[in-house]
Amino acid sequence: MLDNPASCIDLSCVPAAPEDPLYRLMREYREDQSARKIDLGIGAYRDEIGKPWVLPVVKKAQDMLHEDPQSNHEYLPIRGLDFFLSAAQNPILGDGSPAIREKRICSFQTISGTGAVYLGASFLARHHSGLEKPVALISNPTWPNHYQILSQCGFKVETYPYYCPTSKGLDITAMLDTLKNAPRASIVILQTCAHNPTGIDPTQEEWKQIASVIRHRGHFPFFDCAYQGFASGDLTRAAWACRYFVEQGLECCIAQSFAKNLGLYGERVGAFHIIVAPGKDASAICNRVATQLAILQRAQISNPPAYGARIASLVLNDEELFSQWQGELRVMSSRLSGIRETVSAQLQARGTPGSWDFLPTQIGMFSYTGLSRPQILHLKDKWHIYMTENGRVSVAGLNPQNIDYFIDAVDDAVRTCN
């Protein structure tokens, strides 16, 4: 037998990477044989019987698409589906946005919000004019993939305080202090609404303070909008921060996902927007930016998938479907709010140690329970309840069939693992 030829890569020396914690949790849940098991890890909406909910408006759009004789499976342009992209700008910036009117917004279709964050991070890392290794600031805590994406794109990733364990609210003073003292021209990742994992958002007045510090320090705001509509069911209210920053003349970029709010999880529908500051050359600058984004897009995915974008485009561009979608968003957000109130009320009624009145003040897909790691492991090992080790629960995983069981389990975990 011949010896293996010399190679510049010795595959036998490649170490195993650690399994992603969330996907490990999902695997452990699937392998659990208990009939009482509850999945509170994955951020996906479930209906009142614990099943995935295909939005009725999405079903209508699918029927329209299937009946369209012009429908095909050809490649989209590198930029993506034009009708989808132009319509996607409106929910996040508003129909009358000067950025849209003045043609100083550049948009690319992406592989959901993850792809939008990656495309934006790749662009900003390549064209950052400051430090050799620019700084990106993410909230503590945040969606774990923020760190993965930004670090792989070449940023030095640091954190700013966000959650206060004592008040179980936003630590705005510490957040602002950190932004004030961060290196000038840092990239600041801001979750637009329904913050993952805490369910806590800044007030409008707090957003104004954040914008002021970012302007003063020359930072670049990068909004991650994964859950628009889940905080309150109101698309406009959820987009307030993005619109305010743009109205103030700040340049920024936005990663926008339609996976959650249209229930198109597996279709990976998203968009990346970059907004240029007002000025006579703004439109020309925007066009040059588009050429650079096209190079990155071509290298990463060539062109984005069409099917989900066509469904989203129909909903966004049809007045009747858009109105129906808004109603269905209110159904989802109202159910999540009701679950929080029920959990809070029942834990307090039982006298479960600790304070639980903070739960109804949180919003969106997730709640940050404040449970300790031993309590979380106790819930998994004894009660077959799966949540992330930071105490985040996906509220939609609770329903009338399992919520009493969940209350029993939390009460037991808190009393047993103090």
Side-chain angles (χ1 to χ4, degrees), residues 343-394:
V343 171
S344 174
Q346 289 198 25
L347 288 173
Q348 291 183 81
R350 288 175 182 232
T352 304
S355 174
W356 303 98
D357 55 0
F358 66 91
L359 288 173
T361 68
Q362 298 175 353
I363 54 178
M365 180 79 76
F366 304 110
S367 273
Y368 212 50
T369 61
L371 294 171
S372 67
R373 189 172 184 273
Q375 292 165 348
I376 293 162
L377 293 176
H378 180 82
L379 287 169
K380 183 174 72 169
D381 295 341
K382 178 179 177 180
W383 295 85
H384 307 276
I385 295 175
Y386 291 78
M387 66 179 72
T388 59
E389 290 189 3
N390 60 7
R392 186 200 79 173
V393 299
S394 180

Side-chain angles (χ1 to χ4, degrees), residues 63-348:
D63 290 343
M64 293 169 63
L65 185 59
H66 294 161
E67 294 169 4
D68 182 359
Q70 302 300 317
S71 179
N72 58 58
H73 299 284
E74 293 295 298
Y75 288 123
L76 293 180
I78 291 176
R79 179 173 173 264
L81 185 65
D82 284 337
F83 287 136
F84 162 68
L85 289 170
S86 59
Q89 294 171 358
N90 293 330
I92 196 69
L93 293 181
D95 293 342
S97 170
I100 299 174
R101 185 175 64 251
E102 296 162 10
K103 297 181 179 179
R104 50 187 179 86
I105 176 172
C106 174
S107 301
F108 272 67
Q109 185 185 329
T110 58
I111 308 297
S112 199
T114 302
V117 174
Y118 192 90
L119 179 62
S122 300
F123 172 83
L124 293 175
R126 176 174 290 197
H127 296 282
H128 195 282
S129 59
L131 302 171
E132 184 176 336
K133 191 175 182 67
V135 172
L137 295 163
I138 59 177
S139 65
N140 180 23
T142 191
W143 179 50
N145 218 15
H146 281 150
Y147 177 83
Q148 298 277 15
I149 294 170
L150 291 160
S151 61
Q152 288 187 28
C153 287
F155 285 96
K156 179 183 178 183
V157 184
E158 299 180 355
T159 63
Y160 57 83
Y162 193 87
Y163 177 76
C164 176
T166 304
S167 68
K168 294 184 171 58
L170 176 65
D171 194 345
I172 186 64
T173 300
M175 176 182 177
L176 293 173
D177 285 345
T178 300
L179 295 181
K180 288 174 184 176
N181 292 295
R184 292 189 66 86
S186 295
I187 308 300
V188 182
I189 307 298
L190 300 163
Q191 294 192 42
T192 310
C193 59
H195 183 272
N196 176 8
T198 68
I200 299 163
D201 290 346
T203 64
Q204 290 185 4
E205 185 56 41
E206 288 166 342
W207 275 121
K208 291 179 181 180
Q209 296 176 57
I210 294 166
S212 177
V213 171
I214 284 177
R215 179 191 293 278
H216 178 71
R217 295 293 298 165
H219 298 324
F220 191 93
F222 190 154
F223 288 101
D224 187 359
C225 186
Y227 296 95
Q228 188 179 7
F230 266 89
S232 63
D234 186 331
L235 292 167
T236 299
R237 181 177 171 185
W240 190 89
C242 292
R243 297 183 186 190
Y244 176 78
F245 275 59
V246 172
E247 288 167 2
Q248 296 304 301
L250 288 166
E251 290 187 325
C252 65
C253 56
I254 303 168
Q256 182 184 29
S257 172
F258 290 93
K260 310 297 193 302
N261 57 19
L262 272 171
L264 294 171
Y265 303 99
E267 303 304 334
R268 313 304 290 141
V269 185
F272 173 74
H273 312 283
I274 189 162
I275 296 94
V276 177
K280 62 183 180 65
D281 296 326
S283 182
I285 293 170
C286 196
N287 290 336
R288 294 200 298 273
V289 167
T291 64
Q292 295 294 335
L293 288 170
I295 290 173
L296 294 170
Q297 181 95 311
R298 172 67 168 143
Q300 290 169 9
I301 62 171
S302 282
N303 23 43
Y307 183 68
R310 289 188 171 125
I311 293 172
S313 179
L314 287 170
V315 175
L316 293 169
N317 283 292
D318 184 286
E319 185 175 341
E320 182 178 334
L321 293 182
F322 188 84
S323 178
Q324 180 178 341
W325 178 42
Q326 290 178 295
E328 291 167 7
L329 281 172
R330 289 190 288 272
V331 168
M332 291 190 285
S333 62
S334 296
R335 192 176 95 74
L336 297 177
S337 295
I339 291 170
R340 285 187 174 86
E341 291 172 359
T342 299
V343 171
S344 174
Q346 289 198 25
L347 288 173
Q348 291 183 81

